[in-house]
Amino acid sequence: MKKLLIGLAGVAAMSLGMAASALAEDPMKVCFVYVGSKTDGGWTQAHDIGRQELQAHFGDKIETPFIENVAEGPQAEGVIERFARSGCEMIFTTSFGFMDQTMAVAERFPDVKFEHATGYKTAENVTSYNSRFYQGRYILGQIAAEVSEKGVAGYIASFPIPEVVQGINAFTLGAQSVNPDFKLKVVWVNSWFDAGKEADAAKALIDQGVDILTQHTDSTAPMQVAAERGIKAFGQASDMIAAGPETQLTAIVDTWGAYYIKRVQDVMDGTWESQSTWDGLAEGILEMAPYTNMPDDVKAMAEATEAAIVSGELKPFTGPVNKQDGSVWLEEGEVAEDGVLLGLNFYVEGVDDQLPQ
Amino acid sequence: MRLELIKRSAPAPAMRFLSPLLGLVLAVIAGAIMFSALGKAPDRALYAFFIEPVSEMWSVHELLIKAAPLILMGAGLCICFQSNNWNIGAEGQMIVGAIFGAALPILLPDVQNFLILPLMLIFGILGGMLYGFIPALLKAKFKTNEILTSLMLVYVAQMLLDWIVRGPWRNPEGLNFPESRRFHEWARIPEMFPADGRANWGFVIAVVVAIALGVMLAKSLKGFEVKVIGTSPKAAQFAGFDSKKMIFFAFLLAGGCAGLAGIIEVAGATGQLRPTVSPGYGFTAIIVAYLGRLNPIGAIVAGLVLALTYLGGEAAQISLGLSDKIARVFQGLILFFVLACDTLILYKIRLSFGAATKGAA
Amino acid sequence: MGMTEAILLTIATAATPLLIAAIGELVVERSGVLNLGVEGMMVMGAVGGFVIANLTGNPWIGILAAIALGALTSLLFGFLTLTLAANQVATGLSLTILGLGVSSLMGEKFVGQAGEKMGNLDIPILTDIPLVGPVIFGQDPIFYLSILLVVAVSWFLFRTRAGLTLRSIGNNHHSAHALGIPVLRYRYLAVMFGGACAGLAGGHLSLVYTPQWVENMTAGRGWIALALVVFASWRPARVLAGAYLFGAVSIGQLHAQALGIAVPSQLLTALPFLATIVVLVLISQNVRATLINTPAMLGRPFVPDR
């Protein structure tokens, strides 16, 4: 009982403190939980750039503390809770593995707004937001089929989660829209970030005869290998042109800043609502890096595809599409539902790999 | 000027206890210097590191959650190390324990009664023991270096967990994400004081096990055997102690502790199996064992201290914007200074000036 | 350049850092000291090499810095285990923890920056010989250094007086001491040589293998180097064989995947580690060969009595 009282007193003191700070017009605290290092050159860095844009946009009206390298799973709950108790009015948790922990803390802090990236659960005060990375990968596939002479691309993949499988399938469909016989070789390195392993995988793929590389891992090592071996490659999560000025064709660049600014503005205006957002190229949550190192006609094609996706005229997962075993997945004109895409666990025809099950 | 070690006639008992304290103090001083070098007020940083995490009740709960696996594994490793068995694969044994224990609620989700949790804990212990058995067998039978085999097995265990969570045990309702189904209520370790925070009874289990091991080591014949085999293998041979049996005893015990820590972590705080069970607790437990004087009771205190460095790292990031790498440097520093100070148990240190004596360099 | 040459080159690049770190640790262990901190010294070498090369624009200065930083880190280990006679296993582990922490702190500002890559040799005509040409004449300079190191260490240990002395210290430091050999001085030099090699191996990672700095970029290679020493039963030539075998297995699993062989990728990733365990067992079964080469004093502290 005594403990309970102390606990209650603590909560009361906290809320008093928060009320007082609101009166004094202290900056609003918007907090970020990162799964990796903010300089990882990929996923977390993209979020951190978004955070910096947010900070720059609102200036001293907000504060944006962040915490790096938070392990997914139960450890995250303590971190999120610490943030909630330290007076954060809004907390962005930027990895799939923080989902259940975000939900648990949100239940205890109904007045704090939570935003969880790439998950699927929401609540009164929890929004989930995600990006249709696969739209970009469809364009990459088209470019690959145009630029590749051998008609085989190499794909360095991290983990067989739906997001990665979407990417592999969209890339394949994009490539097949140009060259129906296009083939894809996939190597799983079971890591988001291991420069040495990614480089070895890149070399293995090139040695096996692919002449274009794409990756769903975060280091620039594959780009460096591609540059060394004189083939072309695509960047991931961030513009990787510095690692391969003559090599990078384009890159999928995650641009979270605009979304972060909009959501914080919503809280300031009192118009924030829980939602489930899955934006794409049209909304500007991802962008294509400049199309370089390719002939003008390929560039024109890529730009046209990008425009068609932005306008909503082209949806990458539109039938007819067969599964890897040749059975029909999407009938002529049928568009895949988001629910199916979010749990995607099979390949389309033309992928030269067995999906790890 | 040179340092010389002069052997004490007998180990200094006072230093056994003073050495870790002295080591901690030196680590804190080194930490303060490091913080100043990084342009942060050292007093503020040290406050964030060591006081802030225990200044609120809910945060103390977080401390207990983190301390439980560290204490359990640290206590088991104490026995291992004391008997000269260098098991550095507790991380792997913890993972396999978690997998074994989690098998029940995942494969038999419909069996829901009061028996399931105790069974899970037992399965967890068995899993850890089984995985500890491999390096023990290899060492006893083929004299294979246990440091290397137990470490290699950590990587193998991580891959096994990864495969099982992404493959056969993936949650059928989880949209294909890499995690198992959530455990039902009967398969969860209850929280101790749900009103205050998340700490569960796993912490109590850890402390009880550590105390039991401490008593075993101090009072029982087996404990005597552990110490004799560790300090003088020859004497152990004369006394008729079997050092091969001791290999199995030490590894199974430490493995069992690690397995229990694994299932406590999974059935306690997490509630499901995920691709990572531990953020390196199995390796931190080695520091715990040393800081705790290779004494299971000491491991309780040391486990709490190391858990504090994890939480302190988070608090310092949030309130001061200090890099998270500091926490790791700090853990390394603590172990370093404690090891250095341990020299004072067996030796006196003398600074001497002048020419070298023969052979001493 | 054909596929076979390309694969051989890849294997050589993957094996080189393992070989260098292992050959250094071999000398350390021959002197009777077990330094488990290879990973920590290696990662310090990687960050030091990258940072200095990045600041000076010269990869060679970077490599020298990597060697120096590795040796410097090993001195910390030497002070604790040799001067203070601390437990070698625990000290080595703490060196690894500390090295991983300090290196990520040092390198924080350099993550994602373009590196200074050390180029490969290209000798006209010779490099163009099919199959052997690129492998023998077209590699990076560190590759040649690694082969040279194996030869040099082998010659030193078994053909020189100092090498004989070092081995005798590893086999029995008490009698060596009684003969008037400065045990600790030899061990300090051996530990520093091991540190310098680990640093060089780290420099190879951040300047040749993948010319960039990434946190924890050694990714367990220091531990594999340690395993290789035991695998080789403390013989330099066998370290060479082991490093290349290991390189071949880890590259081979990627090729198996690219060929579409349907085995869980996690199993393939775990394969090199399992292979090491199997080999460790096979090696240790040959008791006679192991006993001849195993330094009897491995891991035991030595305090000179007066």
Side-chain angles (χ1 to χ4, degrees), chain A residues 159-180:
Chain A
F159 295 108
I161 60 170
E163 181 189 316
V164 177
V165 179
Q166 284 162 22
I168 293 172
N169 283 336
F171 186 93
T172 307
L173 292 178
Q176 287 171 349
S177 73
V178 173
N179 171 5

Side-chain angles (χ1 to χ4, degrees), chain A residues 116-355:
Chain A
H116 174 247
T118 67
Y120 54 86
K121 290 185 186 168
T122 58
E124 192 93 322
N125 59 336
V126 184
T127 276
S128 100
Y129 64 102
N130 202 348
S131 169
R132 295 180 189 268
F133 307 108
Y134 68 84
Q135 293 180 339
R137 294 197 180 269
Y138 186 86
I139 304 176
L140 303 190
Q142 284 198 325
I143 299 172
E146 286 286 355
V147 174
S148 168
E149 281 164 20
K150 297 181 183 166
V152 191
Y155 206 110
I156 301 165
S158 49
F159 295 108
I161 60 170
E163 181 189 316
V164 177
V165 179
Q166 284 162 22
I168 293 172
N169 283 336
F171 186 93
T172 307
L173 292 178
Q176 287 171 349
S177 73
V178 173
N179 171 5
D181 296 326
F182 197 83
K183 288 276 179 275
L184 190 62
K185 281 181 184 292
V186 184
V187 168
W188 297 93
V189 292
N190 283 313
S191 168
W192 285 109
F193 203 98
D194 181 340
K197 235 189 203 173
E198 290 171 52
D200 286 343
K203 290 175 191 166
L205 283 164
I206 297 170
D207 294 343
Q208 297 248 342
V210 312
D211 63 353
I212 202 151
L213 269 184
T214 188
Q215 63 185 81
H216 204 144
T217 51
D218 290 341
S219 95
T220 52
M223 183 67 71
Q224 284 176 331
V225 171
E228 220 179 284
R229 298 285 187 94
I231 66 162
K232 298 283 188 264
F234 298 106
Q236 139 81 2
S238 303
D239 193 344
M240 295 178 172
I241 191 82
E246 315 272 307
T247 307
Q248 178 177 289
L249 293 161
T250 180
I252 301 171
V253 184
D254 305 349
T255 46
W256 305 102
Y259 177 78
Y260 289 157
I261 292 170
K262 178 175 164 295
R263 296 301 281 172
V264 171
Q265 189 66 51
D266 284 350
V267 172
M268 289 178 167
D269 299 345
T271 55
W272 189 93
E273 271 182 0
S274 167
Q275 61 188 44
S276 184
T277 312
W278 199 12
D279 286 347
L281 282 167
E283 296 84 358
I285 206 162
L286 78 149
E287 278 172 10
M288 305 305 290
Y291 298 107
T292 48
N293 298 316
M294 63 180 86
D296 285 342
D297 59 325
V298 179
K299 187 176 168 185
M301 175 206 69
E303 281 166 346
T305 307
E306 188 181 338
I309 292 177
V310 168
S311 71
E313 188 185 317
L314 174 69
K315 294 197 175 359
F317 291 110
T318 304
V321 175
N322 286 347
K323 292 187 185 179
Q324 193 179 24
D325 59 12
S327 64
V328 176
W329 172 29
L330 299 172
E331 302 282 353
E332 176 82 44
E334 187 188 353
V335 178
E337 288 169 32
D338 281 357
V340 176
L341 290 181
L342 283 170
L344 206 60
N345 63 348
F346 54 84
Y347 284 143
V348 298
E349 230 173 357
V351 183
D352 187 12
D353 183 47
Q354 295 246 327
L355 184 60

